[in-house]
Amino acid sequence: MSYTINHLSELEAEAIFVMREVAAQFEKPAILFSGGKDSILLTHLAKKAFFPAKIPFPLVHIDTGHNFTETIEFRDYLVKTLDAKLIVGSVQEAIDKGLAIEEKGANASRNVAQIPALLKAIEDHQFDALMGGARRDEEKARAKERFFSHRDEFGQWDPKNQRPELWNIFNGKKHFGEHFRVFPISNWTELDVWQYIAKENIELPKTYYSHVRPCVERNGTILAVTEHVQPREGEEVKDMRIRFRTMGDATITGAYKSDADTIEKIIQEVAAARETERGNRADDKRSETAMEDRKKEGYF
């Protein structure tokens, strides 16, 4: 246990150091907040990094309009508890204004449509750094990111043109119109996240814990039935005991059958898992380079 605590303390110190570097080097930074466990963890770290002052960054949520109700409710609860500033970018608004295109078809998603909504929020508020909760163990494209990940004036990412980060020296220099995505918990694993959540007693949406809800199985993925996910012809709605390892759009976020209703049980489950938490995300299954393609265009 002492090794685990020391390991988590080192990860915490690294993340807090990165966040303080962001505060020192940039004029208008913000935290990308999805309502998932990693962005909640990031917000908790920001609170510790600048205590007793309030978090000096606004929380930016790109709302697809297809979120789980629990995600939005928890987002609003956390913002009120922390007395933080919340900025919401609307995908529906971007679609209505012609900035984004609504996908059509049986497997349509608003995932790509988040990109213009995010870039518009960056332009409207002149953000020069956006901190996100992405980790290198999640997905191969995210493993290519630096702590300080440069984006050009179009919000695009070039994985072959990232700056070296030697001896924890982070280069935040940029030209006008460019910005950085910053990933303070890059070196954390899913297991680290859950052990830290247990150590710090961090509150999360109940969707992360085992619960029973109506679901359908579609293309090998368990989807919770919501107003945005309705059963198709031939699909049977079943009450299943599930939990989510990652939270996103209800239309693309797959659930896992699980009895893990406590943090201790979740830690045991994650330690035994042989698939990454994004392995059940429909948006990542579209192609081998789905995530990297989206990131090059400005995705999180």
Side-chain angles (χ1 to χ4, degrees):
M1 178 62 73
S2 60
Y3 168 77
T4 300
I5 292 175
N6 290 338
H7 172 64
L8 294 177
S9 296
E10 289 176 3
L11 289 174
E12 178 192 72
E14 178 182 63
I16 286 176
F17 172 76
V18 172
M19 299 184 96
R20 289 173 176 166
E21 280 292 299
V22 170
Q25 292 194 42
F26 297 97
E27 295 181 5
K28 296 197 71 174
I31 293 176
L32 283 171
F33 187 84
S34 67
K37 69 182 186 309
D38 298 311
S39 62
I40 292 169
L41 169 65
L42 202 64
T43 305
H44 177 83
L45 288 166
K47 178 182 176 182
K48 293 191 75 170
F50 300 98
F51 184 83
K54 292 197 302 183
I55 296 175
F57 319 113
L59 306 184
V60 178
H61 180 221
I62 304 303
D63 184 5
T64 65
H66 292 171
N67 291 287
F68 288 94
T69 302
E70 295 94 332
T71 299
I72 301 301
E73 289 176 349
F74 189 88
R75 177 200 71 184
D76 294 342
Y77 158 76
L78 185 63
V79 166
K80 183 177 180 181
T81 301
L82 296 174
D83 191 22
K85 180 180 180 181
L86 174 67
I87 294 172
V88 178
S90 170
V91 170
Q92 184 61 57
E93 182 180 317
I95 293 171
D96 293 342
K97 292 183 176 180
L99 299 175
I101 299 174
E102 181 87 74
E103 281 190 6
K104 306 296 182 183
N107 298 310
S109 162
R110 285 189 167 183
N111 218 19
V112 174
Q114 293 180 83
I115 297 172
L118 172 61
L119 296 180
K120 184 177 187 303
I122 293 171
E123 183 178 1
D124 288 349
H125 297 277
Q126 295 296 294
F127 294 129
D128 54 2
L130 289 164
M131 288 173 282
R135 309 185 322 272
R136 289 172 178 150
D137 76 318
E138 285 183 90
E139 201 273 342
K140 57 189 177 183
R142 286 183 165 170
K144 298 178 182 179
E145 293 275 21
R146 300 288 196 267
F147 277 98
F148 277 29
S149 189
H150 176 264
R151 296 301 195 271
D152 66 18
E153 64 271 26
F154 301 105
Q156 297 175 326
W157 173 61
D158 181 359
K160 297 180 180 179
N161 190 28
Q162 295 298 303
R163 298 170 181 176
E165 292 181 338
L166 307 174
W167 308 290
N168 290 333
I169 297 175
F170 304 119
N171 183 354
K173 292 183 178 180
K174 58 180 178 53
H175 296 295
F176 180 79
E178 299 175 343
H179 72 277
F180 279 79
R181 306 289 171 85
V182 181
F183 304 104
I185 61 171
S186 288
N187 287 334
W188 297 51
T189 66
E190 183 185 9
L191 185 59
D192 293 330
V193 168
W194 279 106
Q195 289 177 332
Y196 188 80
I197 288 170
K199 174 177 173 288
E200 297 286 304
N201 195 28
I202 299 174
E203 193 173 357
L204 294 176
K206 60 183 180 181
T207 46
Y208 279 105
Y209 300 91
S210 177
H211 60 287
V212 176
R213 67 193 303 160
C215 299
V216 296
E217 291 195 50
R218 182 176 300 165
N219 300 325
T221 298
I222 298 173
L223 295 175
V225 174
T226 69
E227 62 177 309
H228 306 296
V229 179
Q230 292 295 306
R232 298 173 184 170
E233 184 177 353
E235 292 181 340
E236 181 182 358
V237 178
K238 298 179 182 179
D239 284 341
M240 298 184 185
R241 178 165 291 280
I242 59 152
R243 77 174 192 88
F244 296 93
R245 289 172 67 187
T246 178
M247 293 301 300
D249 252 23
T251 60
I252 57 174
T253 303
Y256 290 83
K257 292 181 180 179
S258 173
D259 294 319
D261 55 1
T262 66
I263 292 182
E264 290 74 19
K265 290 180 182 178
I266 290 174
I267 289 173
Q268 293 176 4
E269 186 178 88
V270 170
R274 293 297 176 264
E275 182 181 53
T276 69
E277 64 208 271
R278 292 191 67 94
N280 210 17
R281 287 283 292 258
D283 50 332
D284 289 350
K285 294 181 179 180
R286 291 191 171 194
S287 74
E288 284 291 320
T289 60
M291 171 67 85
E292 183 162 329
D293 293 340
R294 295 196 305 271
K295 287 176 72 64
K296 287 179 179 178
E297 295 177 10
Y299 190 71
F300 307 146

